[in-house]
Amino acid sequence: MQYRGTYIRVDLSAIAENARALRAAIGPTPHMLAVVKANAYGHGLVPVAKAALSSGADWLGVAIPEEGEALRQSGIQAPILVLGAVNEKGARASVRFGLTQAVFDRERVRYLERAASDLNEMARVHLKCDTGMGRIGVRTREELTGVLKEIERCPHVLLTGAFTHMADADGEEADYSLSQIRKFDEMRALLPEGIICHAAASAAAVRYPQARYQMVRQGISLYGCAPVPGTPPVRPALSWHTEIAYVKTVPAGACVSYGCTWQAERETRVATLPVGYGDGYHRALSGKAQVLIGGRRCPVIGRVCMDQIMADVTALPPEDCQIGAPVVLLGRQGQEEIPAEELAAWAGTISYEMLLAATARVPILYDGETEAE
């Protein structure tokens, strides 16, 4: 049961529109993978996956087997790539749920062979190549050929793809990204023909069309954030809402919130909102952020508390700031908008983290649902 008026709203039609636009933009590239890891960037794993698959994506990308398991249990049968490293238990789950697993060393291949043999299944894998990200992946010809030989020795492991990840595709300089593409091309020359190769995510798909190969991975663009100029028109799918819980007038000289970091310079009308860092509204936003009330921007004053924040609503007409009045923390209200990029800049982080910020006690509502369920 939900009582508080603090919630996330996700517009699945925006996800679908974005997926169609991104699919059209990559032209003849055979496959498009929708990255739905981390609860679909905070938008909801299963609903987003279904919306993307119905609108142009034919693969899904997750970070861990648990996410792939949840997708399978929801009835989704599309190919799912686990992009991250797994331990032996994770390898067994990848095989059990028919996931394609990233591999980059002999040990991971052996995990998958044992699991697939035990389960009488085939383990499908994509070989991860580290061309400059520095996380996981084979880095040299020797490492690559070593993993390929291990796969050949494992009758229950089938290599179906290979990929790399661009470290600076949204950067101003192209040299590093071009060097990664060259390294990947050198590695691809050692791979068997007929497999799916992929390197481009949202930014690289725009800036480096030569890196699209047989598949493009669409992440942040799918959710309506344009990582680079030239991104196909996309619109944000997520908005974050709350309501006014209390309004008071404080005199000049009064302090608001912990540490007395904000002091009224004049008589000020203050609205208290039932949301805080316990909900994922970052404490780093203290004294920097703005919220939308009555279609106008109002500054957040004082420190963000665990469960509450305060906003200066002196400039608003009283009728716009009554108890229960709707407030937008992220998204659009009237003609004003607070995009994820702006909220992130106030917090000193990136839009990805802002989309993921809301904690489990903030419910996600989808098209047609109301906050009073």
Side-chain angles (χ1 to χ4, degrees), residues 20-326:
R20 286 191 289 269
L22 295 168
R23 172 64 261 188
I26 62 175
T29 304
H31 302 287
M32 186 175 85
L33 179 149
V35 182
V36 294
K37 63 182 180 177
N39 199 31
Y41 290 37
H43 292 63
L45 176 66
V46 172
V48 168
K50 290 181 176 179
L53 287 171
S54 68
S55 305
D58 58 338
W59 277 72
L60 299 172
V62 298
I64 56 177
E66 291 89 336
E67 295 167 332
E69 178 181 351
L71 291 169
R72 288 287 186 248
Q73 290 177 339
S74 77
I76 289 174
Q77 298 301 313
I80 300 171
L81 174 61
V82 180
L83 295 159
V86 291
N87 57 21
E88 194 157 11
K89 289 181 180 179
R92 188 173 184 86
S94 285
V95 174
R96 180 184 173 194
F97 293 102
L99 312 177
T100 300
Q101 177 61 52
V103 296
F104 50 89
D105 59 13
R106 297 185 180 206
E107 187 173 24
R108 233 77 38 171
V109 175
R110 295 185 192 117
Y111 288 166
L112 291 159
E113 172 61 25
R114 286 195 290 269
S117 178
D118 289 346
L119 296 169
N120 195 29
E121 297 284 355
M122 287 297 295
R124 288 173 172 78
V125 300
H126 280 201
L127 178 63
K128 178 63 183 292
C129 301
D130 180 8
T131 59
M133 176 61 85
R135 298 190 299 197
I136 59 173
V138 295
R139 295 171 296 169
T140 65
R141 173 187 290 261
E142 291 72 27
E143 289 178 355
L144 187 151
T145 56
V147 174
L148 289 178
K149 288 178 181 178
E150 192 64 40
I151 292 172
E152 290 175 1
R153 283 194 287 266
C154 295
H156 295 87
V157 178
L158 178 64
L159 179 69
T160 60
F163 69 109
T164 193
H165 194 90
M166 312 287 281
D168 194 36
D170 58 352
E172 294 182 3
E173 300 297 329
D175 289 352
Y176 196 81
S177 295
L178 293 174
S179 73
Q180 285 195 262
I181 294 169
R182 285 193 297 271
K183 289 177 184 177
F184 188 52
D185 286 339
E186 291 169 1
M187 290 181 168
R188 287 194 312 121
L190 303 174
L191 298 172
E193 295 182 358
I195 65 174
I196 296 174
C197 291
H198 47 110
S202 293
V206 175
R207 287 195 165 168
Y208 306 103
Q210 69 270 40
R212 293 174 186 169
Y213 301 109
Q214 287 81 44
M215 184 158 72
V216 166
R217 305 185 300 268
Q218 298 288 6
I220 195 67
S221 293
L222 180 66
Y223 302 99
C225 294
V228 293
T231 299
V234 291
R235 62 184 178 96
L238 182 149
S239 55
W240 194 350
H241 304 258
T242 189
E243 63 186 5
I244 293 178
Y246 181 55
V247 181
K248 60 185 176 295
T249 299
V250 301
C255 294
V256 170
S257 199
Y258 290 113
C260 300
T261 59
W262 184 90
Q263 188 173 31
E265 297 179 353
R266 49 167 169 71
E267 185 175 87
T268 304
R269 198 149 26 106
V270 178
T272 299
L273 317 178
V275 64
Y277 62 78
D279 301 290
Y281 193 82
H282 288 203
R283 194 169 182 269
L285 293 166
S286 299
K288 300 175 183 176
Q290 299 172 355
V291 299
L292 301 180
I293 304 174
R296 296 174 64 178
R297 288 175 175 250
C298 300
V300 172
I301 58 176
R303 286 183 179 162
V304 172
C305 306
M306 185 180 291
D307 313 299
Q308 299 173 90
I309 62 173
M310 280 63 71
D312 182 347
V313 294
T314 308
L316 297 183
E319 61 269 22
D320 285 346
C321 49
Q322 301 296 314
I323 292 173

